[in-house]
Amino acid sequence: MILLTGSTGLTGQHVAKAVAATGNPVRALVRDLKKAEDLAALGVDVVQGDLADEASIAAAMDGIDKAFLLMANGPEQRAHEIRFIDAAKAAGVSHLVKLSAIGVEAGHFNKLKDTHGRAEDHLKSSGLAYTILRGNFFMQYMLYFMPAIEATGAFYVPADDRPMGMVDVRDIADCAAKVLTQDGHAKKTYLLTGPALHTFADAAQLFSSALGKDVACTLIPADAFKAQMMKTGQDEWTASAVTEEFELLAGGGGEALTQSVEQITDHPPRSFAALLKETFGG
């Protein structure tokens, strides 16, 4: 059986559906059973628990052969990921797949890069067979700008116009499903990207085409971007970390393309234009 975490989130819900579609028995560890009702309808064994609770992790690990680790960003993320890795080791899990991010490194000034880097290092030294999937900037994050686009005809970012290899989270899910159910991926780290490099100005043009109206990309100071995030309910740790992520993009931190999605899944990665067409029609 395969144990999944983060299965009700942006990426994790697609991972759960992709893994369930392989026909392998799947269990999802979730905090809110109500949010996982659609997964239960697919035959996923949904269990309630919390990565802050060692007992609930241990219970979820019963009978598990492989596991997928996806954690929501936050100040407790590193501790939770390390706790999960240790529990998988103790339970005799044969293979653990971790979703990470581009450019991670222990000691990195960016909180998210440092958190992922330290968890990766812990996983590599754990003795577990592992695979690490490092995602580039998620295409679906761009859809979070829709309220601003609808209200002002623009979206606002604290980043210079540097290109990035945005990846569709469904391609990440497809890769996770393959890695979890096929051999040949142990001790490998894959950087997952889309098929093309796009700047935020390119994204504005693609939005314009998909929506049938002019959409602009407007640069704003990092502190204004962070303040706006906090107004929408994000905590200071996350708002600061995400703002730093955009500053890294301004320095070329997302400027990478790979063939990993196609190599793993045997299908080409989805494009941003295709995502917008699918989302808005046309």
Side-chain angles (χ1 to χ4, degrees):
M1 180 173 278
I2 300 169
L3 176 64
L4 307 177
T5 61
S7 298
T8 59
L10 171 66
T11 305
Q13 62 180 311
H14 293 292
V15 173
K17 291 172 183 176
V19 177
T22 68
N24 288 274
V26 183
R27 178 178 296 156
L29 175 63
V30 303
R31 283 184 294 180
D32 187 344
L33 294 175
K34 199 74 174 169
K35 291 182 178 180
E37 288 179 346
D38 58 335
L39 299 181
L42 293 175
V44 175
D45 177 24
V46 179
V47 297
Q48 190 170 31
D50 195 314
L51 293 182
D53 179 10
E54 291 184 10
S56 66
I57 298 173
M61 287 282 182
D62 184 41
I64 294 299
D65 179 48
K66 298 181 181 181
F68 179 73
L69 176 56
L70 185 167
M71 267 292 302
N73 298 329
E76 302 301 321
Q77 181 178 352
R78 183 175 71 180
H80 290 347
E81 293 203 2
I82 289 174
R83 183 179 298 112
F84 187 86
I85 292 166
D86 290 344
K89 174 70 173 179
V93 169
S94 68
H95 189 188
L96 192 149
V97 179
K98 171 178 162 51
L99 181 60
S100 188
I102 187 173
V104 306
E105 181 183 12
H108 199 289
F109 76 87
N110 176 266
K111 300 176 183 68
L112 294 176
K113 304 295 191 193
D114 175 61
T115 291
H116 280 300
R118 293 182 188 278
E120 281 192 13
D121 288 349
H122 190 74
L123 176 56
K124 290 174 182 177
S125 65
S126 68
L128 284 164
Y130 67 86
T131 306
I132 295 169
L133 302 177
R134 291 180 174 176
N136 207 329
F137 186 87
F138 294 176
M139 291 178 185
Q140 278 78 359
Y141 284 166
M142 297 300 298
L143 300 179
Y144 292 154
F145 291 128
M146 278 307 300
I149 290 172
E150 291 171 348
T152 69
F155 61 91
Y156 304 85
V157 292
D160 292 331
D161 215 18
R162 295 292 294 271
M164 53 190 170
M166 293 189 289
V167 62
D168 192 307
V169 298
R170 294 170 297 179
D171 286 331
I172 293 176
D174 290 346
C175 288
K178 291 289 187 180
V179 169
L180 284 163
T181 59
Q182 295 181 350
D183 295 331
H185 301 287
K187 294 188 177 180
K188 291 186 178 181
T189 298
Y190 297 103
L191 174 58
L192 308 181
T193 76
L197 292 171
H198 292 301
T199 64
F200 284 114
D202 294 334
Q205 291 181 347
L206 290 167
F207 269 119
S208 298
S209 177
L211 296 171
K213 66 178 184 179
D214 288 339
V215 175
C217 170
T218 302
L219 297 181
I220 59 173
D223 57 353
F225 182 82
K226 177 181 175 181
Q228 190 59 43
M229 284 195 69
M230 295 184 71
K231 283 182 181 178
T232 63
Q234 290 289 350
D235 61 272
E236 196 280 335
W237 189 99
T238 302
S240 175
V242 171
T243 302
E244 290 172 357
E245 287 278 331
F246 274 88
E247 292 178 304
L248 288 170
L249 292 174
E255 201 167 341
L257 288 180
T258 71
Q259 303 300 314
S260 296
V261 169
E262 188 159 10
Q263 289 169 354
I264 296 170
T265 66
D266 292 325
H267 71 66
R270 297 168 172 91
S271 70
F272 185 53
L275 171 65
L276 293 180
K277 183 177 181 179
E278 183 180 340
T279 303
F280 302 113

